[in-house]
Amino acid sequence: MNETVIDCQNMETIYSKSLKRPILNGVNCQIRRGEFVVLLGLNGAGKSTLLRSLVGLVPVIKGNIRIDGVVMNSQTLPKIRRKIGMLFQGGGLIPQLSAVENVLCGRLGIRKPWETLFGFPQKDQYLAMELLQEMGLQEHSYQKTSLLSGGQQQRVAIARALIQSPQILLADEPITGLDVMAAKQVMETLLHLTELGITVVTVLHDLGMAMEYAQRAIVIDDGCIIYDGSPDNLPVQFAQLNQAVYK
Ligand SMILES: Nc1ncnc2c1ncn2[C@@H]1O[C@H](COP(=O)(O)OP(=O)(O)OP(=O)(O)O)[C@@H](O)[C@H]1O
Ligand SMILES: [Mg+2]
């Protein structure tokens, strides 16, 4: 369980050359297999940018990222992406498709185009139904996701990420807007995945949930990691951060 699966070395990222300075600046972090890490920070700090960099969606201009020992570059990116499931901020589901169709979309990166020409193979369909059942959503499998509650939609998004059998799950604000019970269900699902050996890195704004569920907290401020350690110290870290911003 001590193997490093995510390794960022002195990483700098930028969205466009016109920007005067990088969004992430000298990020160093090593995350091990099966760890449950929460990423916190104020709006605009760079949390989503860090997750997006880990799947190659933001150019890294300095330093490097290794996933499972492999340095990310244009050649290795397709293989690396197959190891990572991503839950985007806001869900990213296709509202007019059913839950099962959304989950099957997670297979698109794995299947060759001709394999899905006449629909997904039966094996994929069984797997999608099985995952929806695990998420407690079997009754909603054929419902359009726009008609599901926020918590149900998040669990469809988790099933969609899991259908590619990822080693790493990156979740950007998976519990924002959910009530406490729905949020706890999602957090427990994520915790369960770490028990299966999947590494989970999730952005949260809720210190209480971070302290209750995570093993490790990373706080980002203005593109830099300012804290990496036990979630128990988060209230102190945030008190200092708020003091610095709102003084
Ligand atoms: N596509 C983009 N092009 C240019 N700049 C961007 C882009 N996306 C984000 N940024 C900038 O990068 C910085 C970090 O944004 P990011 O979305 O990573 O913040 P965040 O920590 O996830 O914030 P939030 O809590 O609001 O989601 C912000 O200053 C933002 O304006
Ligand atoms: Mg964000």
Side-chain angles (χ1 to χ4, degrees), residues 125-159:
Q125 298 191 29
Y126 282 136
L127 191 56
M129 292 304 283
E130 222 171 84
L131 284 165
L132 285 171
Q133 192 169 356
E134 271 174 37
M135 296 293 137
L137 290 170
Q138 63 274 34
E139 288 165 32
H140 301 284
S141 303
Y142 297 103
Q143 218 164 347
K144 277 187 188 176
T145 48
S146 57
L147 303 176
L148 299 179
S149 77
Q152 290 166 337
Q153 289 186 24
Q154 272 313 343
R155 279 181 284 142
V156 173
I158 295 175

Short mmCIF file of all heavy atoms in Angstrom, two decimals, residues 125-159:
data_model
loop_
_atom_site.label_atom_id
_atom_site.label_comp_id
_atom_site.label_asym_id
_atom_site.label_seq_id
_atom_site.Cartn_x
_atom_site.Cartn_y
_atom_site.Cartn_z
N GLN A 125 -22.87 -3.55 -20.88
CA GLN A 125 -24.20 -3.20 -20.35
C GLN A 125 -24.44 -3.86 -18.99
O GLN A 125 -24.98 -3.24 -18.08
CB GLN A 125 -25.27 -3.61 -21.35
CG GLN A 125 -25.09 -2.86 -22.66
CD GLN A 125 -26.26 -3.01 -23.59
OE1 GLN A 125 -27.38 -3.21 -23.16
NE2 GLN A 125 -26.00 -2.93 -24.88
N TYR A 126 -24.00 -5.11 -18.86
CA TYR A 126 -24.13 -5.79 -17.56
C TYR A 126 -23.34 -5.05 -16.49
O TYR A 126 -23.80 -4.83 -15.38
CB TYR A 126 -23.61 -7.23 -17.65
CG TYR A 126 -24.57 -8.20 -18.30
CD1 TYR A 126 -24.13 -9.12 -19.24
CD2 TYR A 126 -25.93 -8.21 -17.95
CE1 TYR A 126 -25.01 -10.02 -19.85
CE2 TYR A 126 -26.81 -9.10 -18.55
CZ TYR A 126 -26.34 -10.00 -19.50
OH TYR A 126 -27.21 -10.87 -20.09
N LEU A 127 -22.11 -4.67 -16.88
CA LEU A 127 -21.23 -4.00 -15.93
C LEU A 127 -21.85 -2.67 -15.47
O LEU A 127 -21.84 -2.33 -14.27
CB LEU A 127 -19.87 -3.75 -16.62
CG LEU A 127 -18.71 -3.30 -15.77
CD1 LEU A 127 -18.46 -4.27 -14.62
CD2 LEU A 127 -17.45 -3.21 -16.63
N ALA A 128 -22.42 -1.94 -16.43
CA ALA A 128 -23.04 -0.64 -16.10
C ALA A 128 -24.19 -0.85 -15.12
O ALA A 128 -24.34 -0.13 -14.12
CB ALA A 128 -23.54 0.04 -17.38
N MET A 129 -25.01 -1.89 -15.38
CA MET A 129 -26.16 -2.18 -14.50
C MET A 129 -25.66 -2.60 -13.11
O MET A 129 -26.23 -2.20 -12.10
CB MET A 129 -27.04 -3.28 -15.10
CG MET A 129 -27.76 -2.87 -16.34
SD MET A 129 -28.79 -1.40 -16.15
CE MET A 129 -30.18 -2.08 -15.28
N GLU A 130 -24.59 -3.38 -13.09
CA GLU A 130 -24.03 -3.85 -11.82
C GLU A 130 -23.55 -2.67 -10.98
O GLU A 130 -23.80 -2.59 -9.78
CB GLU A 130 -22.85 -4.75 -12.14
CG GLU A 130 -22.75 -6.00 -11.31
CD GLU A 130 -21.67 -6.90 -11.88
OE1 GLU A 130 -20.48 -6.69 -11.57
OE2 GLU A 130 -22.03 -7.77 -12.68
N LEU A 131 -22.87 -1.72 -11.65
CA LEU A 131 -22.35 -0.56 -10.93
C LEU A 131 -23.49 0.32 -10.41
O LEU A 131 -23.44 0.81 -9.28
CB LEU A 131 -21.43 0.26 -11.84
CG LEU A 131 -20.05 -0.35 -12.05
CD1 LEU A 131 -19.33 0.30 -13.23
CD2 LEU A 131 -19.21 -0.22 -10.78
N LEU A 132 -24.55 0.46 -11.22
CA LEU A 132 -25.69 1.26 -10.76
C LEU A 132 -26.34 0.59 -9.56
O LEU A 132 -26.79 1.26 -8.62
CB LEU A 132 -26.70 1.47 -11.90
CG LEU A 132 -26.27 2.50 -12.95
CD1 LEU A 132 -27.20 2.47 -14.15
CD2 LEU A 132 -26.22 3.91 -12.35
N GLN A 133 -26.36 -0.74 -9.59
CA GLN A 133 -26.92 -1.48 -8.45
C GLN A 133 -26.06 -1.23 -7.21
O GLN A 133 -26.59 -0.96 -6.13
CB GLN A 133 -26.93 -2.97 -8.79
CG GLN A 133 -27.75 -3.76 -7.80
CD GLN A 133 -27.97 -5.18 -8.29
OE1 GLN A 133 -27.58 -5.55 -9.40
NE2 GLN A 133 -28.59 -5.99 -7.46
N GLU A 134 -24.73 -1.29 -7.38
CA GLU A 134 -23.83 -1.03 -6.24
C GLU A 134 -24.04 0.37 -5.67
O GLU A 134 -23.86 0.60 -4.48
CB GLU A 134 -22.37 -1.15 -6.69
CG GLU A 134 -21.85 -2.56 -6.55
CD GLU A 134 -20.46 -2.70 -7.15
OE1 GLU A 134 -19.65 -1.77 -7.02
OE2 GLU A 134 -20.22 -3.74 -7.77
N MET A 135 -24.40 1.30 -6.54
CA MET A 135 -24.63 2.69 -6.10
C MET A 135 -26.06 2.87 -5.57
O MET A 135 -26.50 3.99 -5.29
CB MET A 135 -24.40 3.67 -7.27
CG MET A 135 -23.00 3.72 -7.79
SD MET A 135 -21.85 4.41 -6.59
CE MET A 135 -20.51 3.28 -6.79
N GLY A 136 -26.83 1.78 -5.53
CA GLY A 136 -28.20 1.84 -5.03
C GLY A 136 -29.15 2.54 -5.99
O GLY A 136 -30.14 3.16 -5.59
N LEU A 137 -28.84 2.46 -7.29
CA LEU A 137 -29.63 3.22 -8.27
C LEU A 137 -30.32 2.33 -9.30
O LEU A 137 -30.75 2.82 -10.34
CB LEU A 137 -28.71 4.20 -9.02
CG LEU A 137 -28.18 5.37 -8.21
CD1 LEU A 137 -27.11 6.10 -9.01
CD2 LEU A 137 -29.29 6.33 -7.85
N GLN A 138 -30.43 1.01 -9.00
CA GLN A 138 -30.96 0.12 -10.04
C GLN A 138 -32.34 0.54 -10.53
O GLN A 138 -32.62 0.44 -11.72
CB GLN A 138 -30.92 -1.36 -9.60
CG GLN A 138 -31.76 -1.73 -8.41
CD GLN A 138 -31.01 -1.49 -7.09
OE1 GLN A 138 -30.22 -0.55 -6.98
NE2 GLN A 138 -31.28 -2.30 -6.10
N GLU A 139 -33.16 1.09 -9.62
CA GLU A 139 -34.52 1.49 -10.03
C GLU A 139 -34.50 2.69 -10.98
O GLU A 139 -35.48 2.98 -11.63
CB GLU A 139 -35.33 1.92 -8.80
CG GLU A 139 -35.73 0.79 -7.91
CD GLU A 139 -36.18 1.30 -6.55
OE1 GLU A 139 -36.74 2.41 -6.48
OE2 GLU A 139 -35.93 0.59 -5.57
N HIS A 140 -33.38 3.41 -10.97
CA HIS A 140 -33.32 4.64 -11.78
C HIS A 140 -32.49 4.47 -13.05
O HIS A 140 -32.22 5.44 -13.75
CB HIS A 140 -32.72 5.77 -10.93
CG HIS A 140 -33.49 6.05 -9.69
ND1 HIS A 140 -34.69 6.74 -9.70
CD2 HIS A 140 -33.26 5.70 -8.41
CE1 HIS A 140 -35.15 6.81 -8.47
NE2 HIS A 140 -34.31 6.19 -7.67
N SER A 141 -32.12 3.22 -13.34
CA SER A 141 -31.19 2.97 -14.45
C SER A 141 -31.65 3.59 -15.78
O SER A 141 -30.84 4.08 -16.55
CB SER A 141 -31.01 1.47 -14.67
OG SER A 141 -30.55 0.89 -13.49
N TYR A 142 -32.96 3.53 -16.03
CA TYR A 142 -33.44 4.00 -17.35
C TYR A 142 -34.06 5.39 -17.29
O TYR A 142 -34.66 5.86 -18.25
CB TYR A 142 -34.43 2.98 -17.94
CG TYR A 142 -33.73 1.66 -18.19
CD1 TYR A 142 -33.89 0.58 -17.34
CD2 TYR A 142 -32.84 1.53 -19.25
CE1 TYR A 142 -33.20 -0.61 -17.54
CE2 TYR A 142 -32.13 0.36 -19.47
CZ TYR A 142 -32.32 -0.72 -18.61
OH TYR A 142 -31.62 -1.87 -18.82
N GLN A 143 -33.87 6.06 -16.15
CA GLN A 143 -34.39 7.42 -16.01
C GLN A 143 -33.38 8.42 -16.56
O GLN A 143 -32.17 8.22 -16.40
CB GLN A 143 -34.59 7.69 -14.52
CG GLN A 143 -35.83 8.49 -14.23
CD GLN A 143 -36.18 8.38 -12.74
OE1 GLN A 143 -35.65 7.55 -12.02
NE2 GLN A 143 -37.07 9.23 -12.31
N LYS A 144 -33.88 9.49 -17.18
CA LYS A 144 -32.96 10.54 -17.64
C LYS A 144 -32.27 11.12 -16.41
O LYS A 144 -32.93 11.38 -15.39
CB LYS A 144 -33.76 11.68 -18.29
CG LYS A 144 -34.12 11.45 -19.72
CD LYS A 144 -34.74 12.73 -20.25
CE LYS A 144 -35.31 12.50 -21.61
NZ LYS A 144 -36.01 13.66 -22.14
N THR A 145 -30.99 11.41 -16.53
CA THR A 145 -30.27 11.89 -15.33
C THR A 145 -30.74 13.29 -14.91
O THR A 145 -30.62 13.65 -13.75
CB THR A 145 -28.74 11.89 -15.52
OG1 THR A 145 -28.43 12.49 -16.76
CG2 THR A 145 -28.19 10.49 -15.48
N SER A 146 -31.33 14.05 -15.86
CA SER A 146 -31.84 15.38 -15.48
C SER A 146 -32.97 15.27 -14.47
O SER A 146 -33.29 16.22 -13.77
CB SER A 146 -32.32 16.14 -16.72
OG SER A 146 -33.31 15.37 -17.37
N LEU A 147 -33.60 14.08 -14.39
CA LEU A 147 -34.74 13.90 -13.48
C LEU A 147 -34.30 13.32 -12.13
O LEU A 147 -35.12 13.11 -11.24
CB LEU A 147 -35.79 12.97 -14.11
CG LEU A 147 -36.32 13.44 -15.46
CD1 LEU A 147 -37.29 12.41 -16.04
CD2 LEU A 147 -37.01 14.79 -15.33
N LEU A 148 -33.01 13.06 -11.98
CA LEU A 148 -32.52 12.49 -10.71
C LEU A 148 -32.11 13.61 -9.75
O LEU A 148 -31.81 14.73 -10.18
CB LEU A 148 -31.31 11.58 -10.97
CG LEU A 148 -31.55 10.37 -11.87
CD1 LEU A 148 -30.26 9.59 -12.06
CD2 LEU A 148 -32.64 9.47 -11.28
N SER A 149 -32.07 13.28 -8.46
CA SER A 149 -31.64 14.28 -7.47
C SER A 149 -30.14 14.49 -7.59
O SER A 149 -29.43 13.67 -8.22
CB SER A 149 -31.98 13.81 -6.06
OG SER A 149 -31.05 12.83 -5.66
N GLY A 150 -29.63 15.55 -6.94
CA GLY A 150 -28.20 15.86 -7.01
C GLY A 150 -27.34 14.70 -6.52
O GLY A 150 -26.34 14.36 -7.14
N GLY A 151 -27.77 14.09 -5.40
CA GLY A 151 -26.99 12.98 -4.82
C GLY A 151 -27.00 11.77 -5.75
O GLY A 151 -25.97 11.09 -5.92
N GLN A 152 -28.17 11.51 -6.35
CA GLN A 152 -28.27 10.37 -7.29
C GLN A 152 -27.39 10.64 -8.50
O GLN A 152 -26.69 9.74 -8.99
CB GLN A 152 -29.72 10.16 -7.70
CG GLN A 152 -30.58 9.61 -6.57
CD GLN A 152 -32.06 9.73 -6.87
OE1 GLN A 152 -32.49 10.56 -7.68
NE2 GLN A 152 -32.86 8.92 -6.20
N GLN A 153 -27.40 11.89 -8.98
CA GLN A 153 -26.57 12.22 -10.15
C GLN A 153 -25.09 12.01 -9.84
O GLN A 153 -24.33 11.51 -10.67
CB GLN A 153 -26.81 13.67 -10.57
CG GLN A 153 -28.17 13.87 -11.20
CD GLN A 153 -28.36 15.27 -11.75
OE1 GLN A 153 -27.43 15.97 -12.07
NE2 GLN A 153 -29.62 15.68 -11.86
N GLN A 154 -24.68 12.38 -8.62
CA GLN A 154 -23.27 12.20 -8.26
C GLN A 154 -22.91 10.72 -8.27
O GLN A 154 -21.82 10.34 -8.68
CB GLN A 154 -22.98 12.76 -6.86
CG GLN A 154 -22.60 14.21 -6.81
CD GLN A 154 -21.56 14.64 -7.82
OE1 GLN A 154 -20.85 13.84 -8.41
NE2 GLN A 154 -21.47 15.92 -8.05
N ARG A 155 -23.86 9.89 -7.81
CA ARG A 155 -23.55 8.46 -7.77
C ARG A 155 -23.51 7.87 -9.19
O ARG A 155 -22.74 6.95 -9.47
CB ARG A 155 -24.51 7.73 -6.83
CG ARG A 155 -24.02 7.91 -5.37
CD ARG A 155 -24.88 7.22 -4.37
NE ARG A 155 -26.10 7.97 -4.14
CZ ARG A 155 -27.30 7.42 -3.95
NH1 ARG A 155 -27.42 6.12 -3.97
NH2 ARG A 155 -28.36 8.18 -3.74
N VAL A 156 -24.33 8.43 -10.11
CA VAL A 156 -24.23 8.00 -11.52
C VAL A 156 -22.83 8.38 -12.05
O VAL A 156 -22.16 7.59 -12.71
CB VAL A 156 -25.32 8.66 -12.41
CG1 VAL A 156 -25.09 8.32 -13.88
CG2 VAL A 156 -26.71 8.23 -11.97
N ALA A 157 -22.40 9.60 -11.68
CA ALA A 157 -21.07 10.07 -12.16
C ALA A 157 -19.97 9.16 -11.60
O ALA A 157 -18.99 8.87 -12.30
CB ALA A 157 -20.84 11.52 -11.75
N ILE A 158 -20.12 8.71 -10.36
CA ILE A 158 -19.10 7.80 -9.78
C ILE A 158 -19.12 6.48 -10.56
O ILE A 158 -18.07 5.96 -10.93
CB ILE A 158 -19.35 7.56 -8.27
CG1 ILE A 158 -19.16 8.87 -7.49
CG2 ILE A 158 -18.40 6.48 -7.72
CD1 ILE A 158 -19.50 8.79 -6.01
N ALA A 159 -20.33 5.96 -10.83
CA ALA A 159 -20.44 4.70 -11.59
C ALA A 159 -19.79 4.86 -12.96
O ALA A 159 -19.09 3.96 -13.45
CB ALA A 159 -21.90 4.28 -11.72
#
